[in-house]
């Protein structure tokens, strides 16, 4: 074959595009100030047939240079991916919006249909979001699958503008017969805070198509976390949820636990450094027990989680065949707690999946002092009980005063303020009706408190036992009739009241554990008020109680009941 023929074939092959057609200027560190500085780049863009992907990241782009590049893109209808992160280093913030507007307008003019837009690491603030607002609302983004805006300093205002643009894009694309189906959303380190996160949550709920959400380090507290939790329920294909380094606390954690229960495709959960705390970890464990069959990674590191709650989490991942890593580093286990956790993972044949515990914070320093104070209080309570010949329960639990609960009948109020078997009996058959009608079962802590007060008056007398069990049955039946999460919240409140778990609410005082508490709990477990996963949580914490009284009741009786229940439900 002649050399001329070979040259022709080579040239033809060069013009034949197989797979994605991409031009990349990535990481060259070019200082592109004006049209002259991008002259060669513009020529290459214009000459590239079927351009699908343009990588400009790692350079610095001025307004005039951006306008020149934008002009060359007006004919690039096939363009799908714009990788434009880290593109404005050293530029004035005022330069960035007009540069972005020029580039965006060219994409709208060209008729391009984007699938990927990456503007991460540009620190353009709220004004920068306004620079891409029109683009995001336009038909150029009806097909957008991935939107990456990590570390852009959007702030609350930028988050709201972004949310509004996505909402409008979905509205317009739906009207055009092809709704926006965004799959990947990345916006970490943007100072979105609660208002920005809440605005985006509304957009997420509307989209319903997300598969990955990455929003770490945004200063989001429980109101924003709760809003996001509500939204992700409506994204059933979600696989990756990264909210690292925000602040859940108990309320946010419980809301998120309730939400992820619906996400059966979820593979990666990163709630590290989110102040999940023990009560939140227990709620999340409940979601793990009930679902998430494809979970690969769970990060609950640096969350102020105690060892007992961590053990509940560890047991909850049993049977997760795809699990690759459980990260519980940086919590509050202490040396013995770390060893206990390793033993649990070893017993599950999952010891290799537990991440390092090298940064464990140890048990809280004030635990010992608090325990001494609580021991002293319990001794005083016991002495008072012996002197008065009755259960002085009102001094060891939050008191319900008539002023606090004006809707209670006087008889029920009298019992709750100062519980006694005689008062419970005197309520007669109407006690069930009073409890069902007047106890606010929407408040799990209130349900826990009333449960403990009723069961505190236990006596080994048929009439008293019947009154107690009928009353607690009525209370729990109503409380758990509609919500799985409500029963979990009840259990969390219960173990806090019993002193088995520290609470965020410093006003809650530990009660002196009485035989009636555990007997009523045993009875409740037998009635199957608690789902199996929750019975397992109760078992874990009840097993940590020492012998409660000098009577025949021991922890093993209740523990065994709960163990049988959780195994056979």
């Amino acid at each position: 074959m002649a050399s001329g023929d070979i040259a022709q074939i080579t040239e033809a092959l060069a013009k034949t595009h197989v797979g994605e057609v991409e031009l990349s200027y990535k990481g060259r560190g070019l200082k592109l100030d004006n049209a002259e500085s991008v002259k060669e780049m513009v020529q290459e863009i214009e000459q590239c047939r079927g351009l699908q992907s343009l990588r400009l990241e790692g350079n610095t782009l001025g307004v005039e240079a951006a306008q020149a590049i934008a002009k060359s893109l007006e004919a690039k209808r096939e363009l799908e991916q714009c990788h434009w992160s880290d593109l404005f280093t050293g530029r004035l913030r005022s330069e960035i919006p007009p540069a972005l507007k020029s580039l965006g307008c060219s994409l709208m003019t060209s008729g391009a249909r984007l699938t990927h837009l990456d503007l991460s690491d540009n620190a353009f603030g709220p004004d920068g979001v306004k620079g891409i607002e029109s683009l995001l609302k336009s038909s150029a983004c009806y097909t957008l699958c991935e939107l990456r805006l990590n570390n852009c300093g959007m702030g609350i205002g930028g988050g709201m503008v972004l949310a509004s643009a996505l909402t409008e894009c979905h509205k317009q694309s739906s009207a055009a017969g092809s709704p926006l189906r965004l799959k990947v959303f990345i916006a970490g380190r943007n100072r979105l805070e609660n208002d920005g996160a809440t605005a985006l949550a509304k957009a997420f709920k509307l989209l319903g198509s997300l598969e990955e959400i990455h929003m770490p380090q945004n200063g989001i507290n429980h109101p924003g976390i709760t809003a996001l939790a509500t939204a992700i329920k409506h994204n059933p294909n979600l696989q990756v949820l990264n909210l690292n380094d925000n602040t859940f606390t108990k309320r946010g954690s419980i809301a998120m636990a309730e939400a992820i229960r619906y996400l059966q495709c979820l593979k990666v959960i990163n709630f590290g450094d989110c102040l999940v705390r023990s009560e939140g970890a227990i709620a999340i464990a409940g979601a793990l027990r009930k679902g998430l069959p494809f979970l690969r990674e769970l990060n609950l590191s640096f969350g102020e989680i105690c060892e007992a709650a961590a053990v509940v989490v560890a047991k909850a991942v049993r049977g997760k065949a795809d699990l690759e890593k459980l990260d519980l580093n940086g919590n509050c286990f202490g040396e013995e707690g770390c060893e206990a956790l390793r033993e649990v993972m070893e017993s599950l044949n999952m010891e290799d999946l537990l991440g390092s515990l090298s940064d464990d914070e140890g048990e809280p320093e004030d635990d010992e002092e608090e325990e001494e104070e609580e021991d002293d209080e319990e001794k005083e309570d016991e002495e008072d009980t012996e002197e008065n010949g009755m259960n002085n329960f009102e001094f060891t639990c939050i008191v319900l005063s008539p002023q606090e609960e004006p809707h209670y009948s006087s008889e029920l109020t009298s019992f709750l303020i100062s519980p006694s078997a005689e008062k419970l009996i005197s309520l007669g058959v109407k006690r069930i009706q009073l409890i069902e009608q007047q106890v606010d079962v929407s408040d799990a802590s209130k349900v826990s408190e009333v449960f403990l007060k009723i069961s505190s008056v236990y006596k080994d007398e048929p009439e008293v036992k019947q009154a107690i069990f009928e009353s607690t049955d009525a209370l729990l039946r109503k409380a758990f009739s509609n919500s799985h999460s409500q029963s979990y919240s009840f259990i969390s409140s219960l173990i806090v009241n019993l002193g088995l778990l520290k609470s965020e609410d410093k006003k809650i005082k530990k009660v002196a554990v009485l035989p009636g508490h555990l007997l009523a709990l045993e009875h409740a477990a037998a009635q199957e008020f608690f789902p199996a996963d929750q019975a397992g949580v109760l078992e874990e914490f009840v097993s940590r109680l020492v012998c409660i009284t000098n009577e025949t009741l021991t922890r093993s009786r209740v523990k065994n009941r709960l163990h049988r229940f959780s195994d056979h439900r």
Side-chain angles (χ1 to χ4, degrees), residues 395-466:
F395 294 110
T396 58
C397 190
I398 302 171
V399 174
L400 297 176
S401 68
Q403 290 74 25
E404 292 172 332
E405 299 293 344
H407 59 284
Y408 283 173
S409 69
S410 57
E411 299 98 326
L412 186 58
T413 298
S414 176
F415 170 77
L416 293 175
I417 291 177
S418 181
S420 71
E422 291 73 19
K423 288 181 181 179
L424 185 63
I425 296 295
S426 69
L427 291 173
V429 293
K430 66 179 180 180
R431 60 177 167 265
I432 294 176
Q433 184 180 10
L434 289 173
I435 290 170
E436 289 179 339
Q437 293 180 348
Q438 299 181 27
V439 176
D440 179 13
V441 296
S442 65
D443 185 341
S445 62
K446 195 70 66 180
V447 175
S448 169
E449 183 180 350
V450 173
F451 178 90
L452 291 174
K453 290 195 172 191
I454 293 172
S455 57
S456 71
V457 303
Y458 178 86
K459 292 181 180 180
D460 193 15
E461 299 174 6
E463 186 179 16
V464 176
K465 288 195 290 186
Q466 181 179 354

Side-chain angles (χ1 to χ4, degrees), residues 105-126:
C105 286
S106 70
L107 296 174
M108 291 186 280
T109 300
S110 71
R113 293 293 184 268
L114 298 183
T115 59
H116 294 67
L117 178 60
D118 185 358
L119 291 167
S120 299
D121 301 316
N122 279 313
F124 47 51

Side-chain angles (χ1 to χ4, degrees), residues 22 47 88 106 136 199 211 261 295 400 409 419 437 466 485 517:
E22 179 178 272
Q47 293 172 5
F88 299 103
S106 70
L136 290 174
E211 296 179 6
R261 193 182 305 279
L295 187 67
L400 297 176
S409 69
Q437 293 180 348
Q466 181 179 354
S485 62
H517 296 152

Side-chain angles (χ1 to χ4, degrees), residues 266-519:
L266 202 55
K267 296 179 180 179
V268 177
I269 299 174
N270 187 344
F271 296 160
D273 205 13
C274 283
L275 214 61
V276 167
R277 294 192 170 132
S278 299
E279 292 174 271
I282 291 170
I284 291 169
L288 298 176
R289 284 176 179 264
K290 297 294 287 185
L292 282 65
F294 306 112
L295 187 67
R296 288 205 314 255
E297 295 181 21
L298 174 62
N299 184 348
L300 296 178
S301 61
F302 298 93
E304 293 190 2
I305 300 170
C306 72
E307 177 248 334
V311 168
V312 172
V313 172
K315 290 182 177 180
V317 300
R318 175 171 44 194
K320 306 293 182 190
D322 295 337
L323 191 70
E324 297 174 1
K325 185 175 182 180
L326 173 62
D327 191 348
L328 292 168
N329 197 18
N331 284 297
C332 307
F333 306 154
E335 291 184 15
E336 292 183 2
C338 288
E339 186 58 34
L341 182 59
R342 292 189 186 99
E343 289 176 359
V344 169
M345 292 296 287
E346 185 175 357
S347 71
L348 301 174
N349 294 318
M350 303 176 79
E351 62 271 21
D352 294 338
L353 307 184
L354 181 63
S356 169
L357 299 176
S358 60
D359 294 319
D360 183 72
E361 296 287 340
E363 296 183 60
E365 294 180 1
D366 58 348
D367 276 1
E368 187 174 341
E369 293 179 4
E370 288 182 0
E371 287 174 3
E372 289 176 358
E373 292 175 2
E374 290 167 354
D375 288 342
D376 290 339
E377 290 173 359
E378 288 176 17
K379 288 178 181 178
E380 291 175 4
D381 291 337
E382 290 170 2
E383 291 171 1
D384 289 340
T385 300
E386 292 174 0
E387 290 175 5
N388 298 329
M390 59 178 290
N391 170 33
N392 197 22
F393 192 76
E394 64 270 27
F395 294 110
T396 58
C397 190
I398 302 171
V399 174
L400 297 176
S401 68
Q403 290 74 25
E404 292 172 332
E405 299 293 344
H407 59 284
Y408 283 173
S409 69
S410 57
E411 299 98 326
L412 186 58
T413 298
S414 176
F415 170 77
L416 293 175
I417 291 177
S418 181
S420 71
E422 291 73 19
K423 288 181 181 179
L424 185 63
I425 296 295
S426 69
L427 291 173
V429 293
K430 66 179 180 180
R431 60 177 167 265
I432 294 176
Q433 184 180 10
L434 289 173
I435 290 170
E436 289 179 339
Q437 293 180 348
Q438 299 181 27
V439 176
D440 179 13
V441 296
S442 65
D443 185 341
S445 62
K446 195 70 66 180
V447 175
S448 169
E449 183 180 350
V450 173
F451 178 90
L452 291 174
K453 290 195 172 191
I454 293 172
S455 57
S456 71
V457 303
Y458 178 86
K459 292 181 180 180
D460 193 15
E461 299 174 6
E463 186 179 16
V464 176
K465 288 195 290 186
Q466 181 179 354
I468 288 172
F469 294 154
E470 286 179 351
S471 300
T472 55
D473 284 355
L475 176 68
L476 298 184
R477 187 180 299 111
K478 183 180 179 183
F480 303 160
S481 59
N482 296 318
S483 174
H484 181 278
S485 62
Q486 181 72 355
S487 54
Y488 236 107
S489 297
F490 166 77
I491 289 174
S492 178
S493 296
L494 188 69
I495 58 183
V496 166
N497 286 139
L498 292 174
L500 301 173
L501 192 66
K502 291 182 68 175
S503 173
E504 293 179 5
D505 188 349
K506 303 301 182 183
K507 296 179 181 179
I508 295 179
K509 293 182 65 179
K510 169 184 168 183
V511 307
V513 182
L514 301 171
H517 296 152
L518 296 185
L519 285 169

Side-chain angles (χ1 to χ4, degrees), residues 222-274:
H222 74 83
I225 295 298
T226 300
L228 288 170
T230 300
I232 66 173
K233 291 180 186 178
H234 298 271
N235 289 264
N237 295 319
L238 192 67
Q239 298 180 29
V240 178
L241 181 57
N242 177 8
L243 296 174
N244 187 282
D245 201 9
N246 290 291
T247 307
F248 283 33
T249 60
K250 174 185 173 182
R251 283 177 285 184
S253 299
I254 291 175
M256 194 58 69
E258 177 65 15
I260 63 176
R261 193 182 305 279
Y262 294 89
L263 306 176
Q264 296 305 301
C265 296
L266 202 55
K267 296 179 180 179
V268 177
I269 299 174
N270 187 344
F271 296 160
D273 205 13
C274 283

